[in-house]
Structures are given as C-alpha cells and as structure tokens.
Amino acid sequence: MPASGPGGATGERDGGGQEGEAAGEDDGAQKAAGGAKQRSFWKELPILIGIAIVLALLIKTFLVQAFSIPSNSMQNTLQRGDRVLVDKLTPWFGAEPERGEVIVFHDPDGWLGDNPSNGGFGAAVQDALSWIGLMPSAEDQDLIKRVIAVGGDTVECQDGGQVMVNGEPLDESSYLFPGNTPCGDRPFGPITVPDGRLWVMGDHRQDSLDSRYHQNLEGRGTVAEDDVVGRAIVIAWPINRWSTLPVPSSFDSVQSAAGLVGPGAVGLATAVPLVLWRRRRILAREAVASPDSTAAAGGEAAPDPGVADPNVAERG
C-alpha cells in the first residue's frame, strides 16, 4: 500500500507548487510580450506618419495636386466645388501647355485683386493640410482657364464671330457654356501672343474675367508659361462627376504659326545651296571650255602657244 505519511503529502504539495510557478512564468511572459508589441507600435507610429507626410509632399511637388473650383467661369466643363487633379509631372520633362488644355496658373498680375486672409483654427487646419497637398491653400492666388493660343499664335474674335487662331475659326460648341457667345461681351484682337506666354479664356465666356479683360496689363492679358502650375487632367470629386479633361478635337485643325511659314523657310534654305552649286558647275564648265579667257579675266597672263607646257609633256 502506498505510504500516506507526511512525506507523501509533502511530495504532492511540492508538485503543485512547481506547476503554479510555471503557470505564473507563462502569464508573465505573455504580458511582457503584449507590452513589448504595444510599445513598438507607438514607437513606429511617428515614423509612419513622417513617411506619409514625405510621400504626400513628393506627390504634391512632382506628381499631382488637388485644386478646388471656386467660381462658375469654367462651366459647364467644371462646376463650382469640383475638385480637379493637376498634372505636375510632365512639365519636369519639358512638356509645355498646348491649345485646348485646361490649366491652373498663378495669378499673373493681380487678376484676382487682394485676397484677405482668414484667421482662426479652421485656417490653421487648412494651412497644415495644404502644406502636404491634401487641400488647396487659402493664400495661393491660382486660376483655372482653357488655353486658346500659345506663343507665336495670332488670336482674335470680332463681335458676333468665332474665335480665330492663326486664321482658323474654332468650333467651341463642345465646351462653351450653353447660350454663350464666343466673345459677344468682349471682342478683341488681332493679338500676337508673345513667345513663352499663353492666351486663356473661360468656358463660361459671359462669366469669366480672362485674358480679354486684362489687355491693359503687362503681357496684354497673356499668361507666362512659368506661372503655370500644371494641366488639369481629371475631375476627382464629387464621385458622380468623375471624368477626364481631354483636349477638344476642334483644336486639331489649328495650324501653328511656325507651321504656316515652315514650308517656305525650308524651301528657301534648300534652294539657296542648289542655286550656288549649279552656278559653280556652270563656271567650271566655262573655265574648261575657254581657259585663255578665264585666265585673262583672273588677271593672269595667258600661256604662249609656242612654249611647251612641261606638265603636258610629262603626261605625254
């Protein structure tokens, strides 16, 4: 029979104590591991936020930036309150604004007038979000219009007529605000757009203070390409208005000013060398046909027929 003395009881108590100590160690290890995980997350959180801010700044600076539409000047293409994404990448590779593109640009010469700044907590939040590109800045004086003519183009619009670019009429029916005329409220031109500048107009012509209304300023109402932030490529908000902003096909028919004179310039550049080459050949033939007269005309004495030519003799 098993012993039931004090030693047996003591043995059972010792075994139970070891199990209790082991369980306590396991619980402590689990708590320590959980605490370590929580502490590591809070330590990594500032790093994650910093990386997100850096990526947002890079995207805002080099890729795309969001802008809000504050007015009706681009209806119906853009509505008040729309959010558009502006391409800032392609200009880094030398891309220049083209006719028909919708662009965002800095206020060139006070087109918008003074912009009173608003204080308070809301303004501080907007400034912080705009700094990382999540909201447009309240201080930036930016406008959005459509490029009608580029540097070197001649643009005009007479009362009751169409906008003319390099003598070609523009069909603006696809984007002009219904009921508007191309320039009935403000005829202009002809104006030759300086190199490196743009002539811009709003799609809602009768509600757009565009290049037509600033011809008294430097540049005669044109916008410097250096002031262009980028091309608006897509409507990102609201969701029911998601769409791209392509260049209307009507601009395909407009020939550049350089193209108008290009063939003539190429023809002249090709003709001059040909004429000079042909003249040299004719003179060379005349020199072979009458060497005496050619030598006399050049101021040299003609050879005496009675004197043998040593070069001829050697060749003979």
Side-chain angles (χ1 to χ4, degrees):
M1 294 179 66
S4 58
T10 303
E12 292 178 359
R13 287 197 299 268
D14 291 344
Q18 290 176 358
E19 292 178 359
E21 290 176 359
E25 291 177 356
D26 291 342
D27 293 342
Q30 292 177 359
K31 291 180 180 179
K37 290 181 179 179
Q38 291 179 357
R39 284 195 299 270
S40 63
F41 170 77
W42 291 110
K43 287 181 179 179
E44 292 176 359
L45 182 59
I47 299 176
L48 295 175
I49 294 176
I51 293 174
I53 291 176
V54 170
L55 290 176
L57 288 173
L58 291 175
I59 292 173
K60 170 190 173 183
T61 304
F62 300 105
L63 297 180
V64 294
Q65 184 176 356
F67 285 86
S68 175
I69 307 304
S71 70
N72 299 324
S73 67
M74 283 296 294
Q75 287 179 325
N76 275 334
T77 303
L78 300 174
Q79 300 290 346
R80 184 191 295 266
D82 284 352
R83 300 292 193 275
V84 298
L85 296 182
V86 173
D87 169 28
K88 302 179 72 173
L89 176 63
T90 52
W92 289 93
F93 296 93
E96 298 178 350
E98 298 182 359
R99 303 182 200 92
E101 293 181 348
V102 177
I103 62 168
V104 173
F105 56 95
H106 299 310
D107 186 359
D109 289 301
W111 288 18
L112 296 175
D114 295 332
N115 183 31
S117 58
N118 297 321
F121 178 76
V125 172
Q126 182 173 4
D127 290 341
L129 294 178
S130 65
W131 184 70
I132 59 176
L134 298 180
M135 284 188 67
S137 174
E139 296 181 357
D140 288 345
Q141 297 282 72
D142 298 323
L143 301 95
I144 184 165
K145 303 292 180 187
R146 188 180 298 277
V147 177
I148 301 298
V150 298
D153 289 344
T154 299
V155 59
E156 63 178 307
C157 183
Q158 303 304 322
D159 190 11
Q162 294 176 278
V163 174
M164 308 280 289
V165 180
N166 298 330
E168 294 287 338
L170 282 181
D171 180 8
E172 302 185 283
S173 58
S174 64
Y175 56 85
L176 203 64
F177 185 78
N180 275 194
T181 59
C183 64
D185 58 324
R186 193 81 169 189
F188 63 92
I191 295 173
T192 300
V193 181
D195 291 336
R197 301 188 73 89
L198 310 166
W199 182 270
V200 297
M201 300 173 72
D203 291 352
H204 193 169
R205 294 291 158 79
Q206 274 67 66
D207 193 10
S208 175
L209 298 178
D210 44 45
S211 290
R212 299 170 294 161
Y213 289 86
H214 302 93
Q215 299 179 54
N216 59 321
L217 301 176
E218 183 180 359
R220 297 189 64 189
T222 59
V223 177
E225 291 183 358
D226 292 340
D227 288 332
V228 176
V229 177
R231 174 189 173 186
I233 55 176
V234 64
I235 302 174
W237 187 264
I239 296 177
N240 61 351
R241 285 186 47 78
W242 275 358
S243 62
T244 59
L245 296 171
V247 174
S249 59
S250 57
F251 286 88
D252 295 339
S253 62
V254 179
Q255 190 174 12
S256 66
L260 294 175
V261 298
V266 172
L268 180 62
T270 305
V272 170
L274 288 176
V275 171
L276 294 176
W277 174 77
R278 184 172 180 275
R279 179 173 177 80
R280 288 175 182 173
R281 286 185 60 110
I282 293 174
L283 291 176
R285 290 176 183 173
E286 291 177 352
V288 173
S290 55
D292 294 347
S293 59
T294 303
E300 298 179 359
D304 188 351
V307 179
D309 186 347
N311 294 327
V312 176
E314 288 178 0
R315 286 194 298 269

